Amino acid sequence: MSTNRGVVYIKPGVVEVQSIDFPKLALGNRKCEHGVILQIVSTNICGSDQHMVRGRTTAPAGLVLGHEITGVVLEAGRDVEFIKAGDLVSVPFNIACGRCRNCKAGQTGICLNVNPSRPGAAYGYVDMGGWVGGQAEYVMVPYADFNLLKFPDKDQAMAKIRDLTLLSDIFPTGFHGAVTAGVGPGSVVYVAGAGPVGLACAASCHLLGAAVVIVGDMIPERLEQARSFGCEIVDLRSDTPLPDQIAGIIGVPEVDAAVDCVGFEARGHGHAAGTEQPATVLNAAMQITRAGGAVGIPGLYVTEDPGAHEEAAKTGNLSLRLGLGWAKSLSFATGQCPVMKYHRQLMNTIIYDKIQIAKAVNVQVIRLDDAPGGYHDFDKGAAKKFVLDPNGMIPN
């Protein structure tokens, strides 16, 4: 019998690499002929995973983590027509059926048929349908013809795998944040958060033609990573108000577009930098975005946060200054990125050397057995994107 190992959530602060079931082409008691089994080439640790591991969600013990997956097709179900054994593919973190009204409209982040509790599903994530995660050696992917992006040249893709692995989530997510904020040629943009999604968003802003990209964070190493590929930076630990810091860079205290790449574990700015204030980024974005501008919100917000410091925030209720946003006629875009809307085009930007996204987010490849250490370092604010190599397939 084939074996499999994966990264398993044990309790807050603890993950372990354990033996797990080898995937089957099955959904409950019925065959999943539209699915494939993948041998995983690369699978990434995401900030969204970190929320669960910190105990900030209702994730159950025993959950196999991981929604950022790239792999080689090992076996395909009878109904899979266009994906074949041996194909190297990128897996969107959204699981989508391709058949419901939302999928047909391109809203694959909120598929209606893959999660009995709410629209939208993902691998290895709390309340997202119970799908087994992909921080493992092997995983099953359903609706393969619809979901999977096949790389046209396998050898070429393996040579750029550190970049292409980011197509499963953070590159499209950062790009989506920029697009929904209205970033285009000549834009001045503020990106909140210099974690991997924030850095991917900042790089995406450059790709979209932004004139100035300003990145805010509280971790010096992450700010230096943003500066390394041409971003302006603001240190949110400073007592100088954010609008004044922005004015010091561009001469005025407002930007055309803002993107929240932080989410619900946001902390206060300046003298309140050590205090969790979940609405801080959203309120700051409304303050600094020009009238008629837009705010993209790819940062994660949850409906249940048992570790919240404020009682209201435990059910996702935040103290938003929405009146300011209304008065300025701001637009807001929230929710999961519909990865399939972007991933083929972004693949081409990598293949044809229009962007060095792995360099921008500082990819570091580690073994599957080193995943617990990767989670620990990431939780401490490492300015890195940890990519797991479960089967020793990523070239040096």
Side-chain angles (χ1 to χ4, degrees):
M1 178 179 290
S2 298
T3 61
N4 191 19
R5 296 189 308 144
V7 181
V8 178
Y9 171 65
I10 305 301
K11 62 181 181 180
V14 180
V15 298
E16 292 180 0
V17 178
Q18 296 183 351
S19 294
I20 61 174
D21 291 338
F22 193 86
K24 298 178 181 178
L25 291 175
L27 293 174
N29 295 321
R30 61 187 176 90
K31 288 283 285 182
C32 180
E33 297 290 3
H34 51 68
V36 299
I37 293 173
L38 295 184
Q39 181 183 29
I40 294 173
V41 173
S42 60
T43 176
N44 318 325
I45 296 175
C46 181
S48 299
D49 299 321
Q50 198 71 63
H51 293 307
M52 291 187 290
V53 173
R54 289 188 186 122
R56 297 301 297 268
T57 71
T58 55
L63 179 68
V64 181
L65 299 168
H67 56 270
E68 301 189 10
I69 306 165
T70 306
V72 174
V73 177
L74 198 65
E75 178 185 354
R78 181 189 60 206
D79 296 337
V80 180
E81 293 188 69
F82 308 112
I83 298 292
K84 307 298 182 186
D87 287 347
L88 178 61
V89 295
S90 177
V91 184
F93 78 89
N94 328 105
I95 302 170
C97 72
R99 296 158 167 81
C100 71
R101 66 177 292 179
N102 286 350
C103 284
K104 289 179 179 180
Q107 297 173 309
T108 53
I110 43 175
C111 174
L112 301 174
N113 290 328
V114 288
N115 183 351
S117 62
R118 67 174 70 174
Y123 304 90
Y125 210 85
V126 59
D127 296 332
M128 296 302 284
W131 299 87
V132 176
Q135 286 175 14
E137 294 169 332
Y138 302 90
V139 73
M140 196 278 281
V141 172
Y143 304 105
D145 279 329
F146 183 67
N147 281 292
L148 295 178
L149 173 66
K150 176 185 172 181
F151 296 127
D153 184 316
K154 191 173 180 180
D155 291 337
Q156 178 192 52
M158 285 302 298
K160 292 180 175 289
I161 195 65
R162 287 167 172 79
D163 298 273
L164 293 171
T165 188
L166 305 176
L167 290 174
S168 56
D169 183 353
I170 69 163
F171 188 12
T173 292
F175 190 84
H176 177 65
V179 167
T180 55
V183 176
S187 295
V188 177
V189 190
Y190 174 68
V191 177
V197 170
L199 294 170
C201 179
S204 296
C205 291
H206 288 309
L207 187 64
L208 288 163
V212 183
V213 181
I214 304 168
V215 178
D217 204 286
M218 300 177 185
I219 300 175
E221 292 78 11
R222 288 184 168 183
L223 289 173
E224 285 306 310
Q225 183 63 28
R227 198 202 298 268
S228 74
F229 59 94
C231 299
E232 302 289 340
I233 61 171
V234 292
D235 189 338
L236 298 175
R237 298 172 301 172
S238 171
D239 286 334
T240 302
L242 177 59
D244 293 345
Q245 291 199 63
I246 289 173
I249 296 169
I250 59 173
V252 292
E254 63 181 19
V255 296
D256 298 313
V259 190
D260 173 6
C261 296
V262 177
F264 73 103
E265 288 192 64
R267 297 184 179 275
H269 298 170
H271 66 277
T275 306
E276 192 165 298
Q277 297 180 6
T280 298
V281 173
L282 294 172
N283 286 328
M286 286 189 277
Q287 181 184 16
I288 63 167
T289 302
R290 66 170 176 83
V295 180
I297 312 172
L300 176 67
Y301 289 86
V302 294
T303 56
E304 293 182 80
D305 176 9
H309 294 202
E310 301 173 4
E311 197 62 32
K314 291 182 179 180
T315 53
N317 289 293
L318 308 182
S319 298
L320 290 177
R321 195 181 175 194
L322 191 58
L324 176 61
W326 189 93
K328 296 174 75 173
S329 294
L330 299 180
S331 300
F332 302 89
T334 67
Q336 290 185 33
C337 165
V339 169
M340 272 187 270
K341 184 175 181 178
Y342 308 107
H343 65 174
R344 185 175 299 277
Q345 302 95 306
L346 295 179
M347 173 187 73
N348 286 336
T349 68
I350 292 170
I351 288 173
Y352 294 105
D353 297 319
K354 298 302 181 185
I355 193 168
Q356 293 181 301
I357 191 67
K359 185 176 180 181
V361 305
N362 197 19
V363 160
Q364 179 171 333
V365 177
I366 61 176
R367 302 179 308 146
L368 184 67
D369 287 322
D370 295 330
Y375 270 97
H376 176 269
D377 291 348
F378 191 33
D379 190 47
K380 298 299 182 184
K384 298 175 182 178
K385 174 67 173 178
F386 290 103
V387 171
L388 305 180
D389 181 9
N391 290 293
M393 299 174 72
I394 299 178
N396 291 328

